[in-house]
Amino acid sequence: MTDTAPVTQDVMTIPRKAPEGPINLVGLTRDRLREVLIAHGTPERQARMRVNQIWQWIYGWGVRDFEAMTNLSKAYRKQLADHFVIEIPEMVSRQVSADGTRKYLARIAGGHEVEVVYIPEADRGTLCISSQVGCTLTCSFCHTGTQKLVRNLTAGEIVGQVMMARDDLDEWPRRGEGAGERPRLLSNIVLMGMGEPLYNFDNVRDAMKIAMDGEGISLSRRRITLSTSGVVPEIAKTAEEIGCMLAVSFHATTDEVRDKLVPINRKWNIATLLEALREYPRLSNSERITFEYVMLKDVNDSDADARRLVKLIEGIPAKINLIPFNEWPGAPHQRSDWDRIEAFADIVHKAGYASPIRTPRGEDIMAACGQLKSATERQKKSRREIAAETRT
Ligand code: SAH
Ligand code: SF4
């Protein structure tokens, strides 16, 4: 085999802007970046240094134009511009809530749109990003679940949401300023927007590796939380290959109820899920798992549910995040009453678990969990499609 053969093969699989158009460098891992640079004329012996330089410009300084990469020769900058682009999703709208929450609409290739939400808090700023347009799953309380899966986002589109928000927050370091000199406005990422991240594993992993890379965006793996509905076979892989914090959409304490709320439970039931979760903290060396629990009136919110929940997760280092149901037009559920939520939280708390009730944020701009929608909303799932998913 010649030296160049595998490189050429790899280049073919990298998403291009157009069939023969320039390659977008955003979202390529360091190894892939090295490969495409070499395949387009960068001498192999320089490749390592070039990767470091270009990486720094893109992810450390937020630069999108090769011309601005002043530590590269003019000729080399031209060569880069001939073959590559640095592109992130386009921000098509931005709404700011009375409480400071920002909701962005980001347009990705093909004209699809995903929502991205920035939530400022006293001690952190969290960006909620999407991994898919729509979702293949059909959780009964989730608005995204009513939308067909249009496609997986690429790694560039996933990390690009973070870069887009950094642009808006004016968060890239300024000239003469070291990275980390200013307090970070965007300090945490949660993969809790549209889609099931573990059904787009490779792209999510590559994007999060880029977000964690110390030479760029540089977020610690403990500041990234991936939320899954319970794709059991991918959970150990998440620990090993990403190592971020894990949240799980638990939402019910019996298989009978969970089968209905989170239909993936029919494939991997509560016992199977818990087994995988028990292993996660050890495999990922993270302290605890977040159990998300959406509070649905008369469905999963009784004292007996709360007691069953603490019994089920016994021995797992955990925090239980109670989410008051965010209603959307046509939703088949109602939010539990506030005193019910508090009584539930109390039982969980007395059992020794942190049980914060997630304060709904950005309600005036429909920015809350499960309310995110997209231009593809019109492509609703049919009853038959929902029934098919529920049967699997
Ligand atoms: N697909 C992944 C991540 C996206 S959903 C998952 O299911 O975990 C992020 C969180 O919002 C999940 O816990 C989900 O169950 C919750 N959620 C979805 N719709 C909601 C709604 N209408 N009200 C409150 N929480 C909701
Ligand atoms: Fe998909 Fe998560 Fe919504 Fe379920 S809760 S339909 S897995 S986005």
Side-chain angles (χ1 to χ4, degrees):
M1 209 191 314
T2 68
D3 274 343
T4 50
V7 172
T8 319
Q9 235 175 21
D10 268 344
V11 171
M12 297 301 288
T13 62
I14 291 167
R16 285 163 184 271
K17 196 178 166 209
E20 288 310 318
I23 297 171
N24 186 8
L25 297 186
V26 178
L28 303 189
T29 60
R30 280 176 178 271
D31 287 347
R32 298 278 265 191
L33 180 55
R34 183 174 188 278
E35 286 164 9
V36 296
L37 290 180
I38 293 172
H40 289 86
T42 300
E44 229 178 302
R45 67 196 140 68
Q46 290 180 8
R48 202 183 139 88
M49 180 175 70
R50 297 297 178 221
V51 166
N52 286 339
Q53 289 171 316
I54 295 168
W55 192 275
Q56 271 272 336
W57 284 114
I58 299 179
Y59 301 112
W61 294 96
V63 161
R64 307 280 148 73
D65 181 0
F66 294 106
E67 257 322 292
M69 301 185 177
T70 45
N71 58 353
L72 305 178
S73 76
K74 258 191 171 331
Y76 188 57
R77 282 185 253 162
K78 160 101 177 52
Q79 185 185 327
L80 292 174
D82 284 344
H83 298 292
F84 307 119
V85 287
I86 303 165
E87 272 185 359
I88 64 165
E90 181 195 355
M91 187 197 301
V92 287
S93 75
R94 185 186 80 152
Q95 284 172 280
V96 183
S97 156
D99 67 14
T101 302
R102 298 179 186 207
K103 184 168 84 169
Y104 309 105
L105 198 57
R107 185 173 297 147
I108 57 170
H112 309 298
E113 286 163 358
V114 288
E115 282 181 359
V116 184
V117 178
Y118 172 72
I119 307 151
E121 286 173 285
D123 61 337
R124 68 182 65 185
T126 304
L127 192 73
C128 177
I129 62 174
S130 296
S131 55
Q132 300 181 311
V133 185
C135 188
T136 53
L137 303 172
T138 53
C139 304
S140 62
F141 50 85
C142 174
H143 198 201
T144 309
T146 65
Q147 298 166 39
K148 282 187 183 184
L149 175 74
V150 176
R151 70 167 170 85
N152 282 336
L153 299 194
T154 64
E157 288 163 346
I158 298 169
V159 72
Q161 295 170 58
V162 180
M163 297 164 74
M164 186 191 81
R166 290 199 99 193
D167 286 355
D168 186 53
L169 297 166
D170 193 18
E171 173 114 286
W172 300 103
R174 302 191 180 110
R175 296 254 161 254
E177 182 184 65
E181 264 181 40
R182 273 180 290 152
R184 293 190 76 144
L185 296 171
L186 198 172
S187 61
N188 293 61
I189 296 175
V190 294
L191 279 145
M192 293 186 186
M194 294 171 63
E196 169 48 61
L198 296 190
Y199 277 152
N200 186 14
F201 187 88
D202 290 358
N203 290 333
V204 166
R205 176 200 55 213
D206 290 352
M208 292 306 104
K209 286 278 187 206
I210 294 172
M212 290 188 254
D213 189 297
E215 296 295 310
I217 299 169
S218 197
L219 287 175
S220 136
R221 64 189 185 87
R222 291 177 198 280
R223 290 185 171 272
I224 298 178
T225 303
L226 182 152
S227 174
T228 180
S229 57
V231 185
V232 167
E234 305 292 306
I235 288 179
K237 232 168 99 187
T238 306
E240 282 151 12
E241 296 184 29
I242 310 178
C244 59
M245 306 296 284
L246 187 72
V248 63
S249 293
F250 208 64
H251 304 323
T253 59
T254 63
D255 281 325
E256 196 195 346
V257 176
R258 197 165 189 270
D259 279 352
K260 292 197 189 108
L261 299 182
V262 190
I264 201 174
N265 196 67
R266 296 177 180 211
K267 223 178 260 172
W268 297 291
N269 66 12
I270 292 179
T272 317
L273 175 59
L274 286 171
E275 218 173 286
L277 296 177
R278 262 175 223 291
E279 285 299 301
Y280 193 87
R282 187 181 57 77
L283 291 177
S284 66
N285 187 27
S286 59
E287 303 95 49
R288 59 185 182 176
I289 291 185
T290 301
F291 284 78
E292 297 164 282
Y293 199 96
V294 61
M295 298 298 295
L296 304 170
K297 191 173 188 161
D298 300 332
V299 175
N300 64 355
D301 62 352
S302 68
D303 285 354
D305 278 307
R307 285 192 215 100
R308 262 195 305 269
L309 178 60
V310 293
K311 187 102 194 82
L312 281 171
I313 67 171
E314 211 171 0
I316 304 179
K319 169 173 114 179
I320 296 164
N321 207 335
L322 299 176
I323 318 174
F325 173 57
N326 293 306
E327 296 189 14
W328 38 273
H333 302 288
Q334 284 174 295
R335 181 183 287 186
S336 304
D337 295 333
W338 200 254
D339 52 356
R340 185 83 303 273
I341 300 179
E342 283 186 338
F344 194 105
D346 203 47
I347 294 173
V348 174
H349 187 73
K350 287 211 173 96
Y353 294 98
S355 53
I357 301 171
R358 194 183 290 171
T359 335
R361 297 288 303 261
E363 281 197 303
D364 49 342
I365 55 171
M366 290 276 285
C369 268
Q371 291 182 328
L372 303 188
K373 54 186 179 189
S374 69
T376 38
E377 196 199 347
R378 41 184 193 270
Q379 295 180 288
K380 287 244 170 82
K381 284 177 183 145
S382 65
R383 275 179 198 283
R384 201 182 321 135
E385 281 166 310
I386 292 178
E389 150 65 15
T390 320
R391 273 198 302 274
T392 49

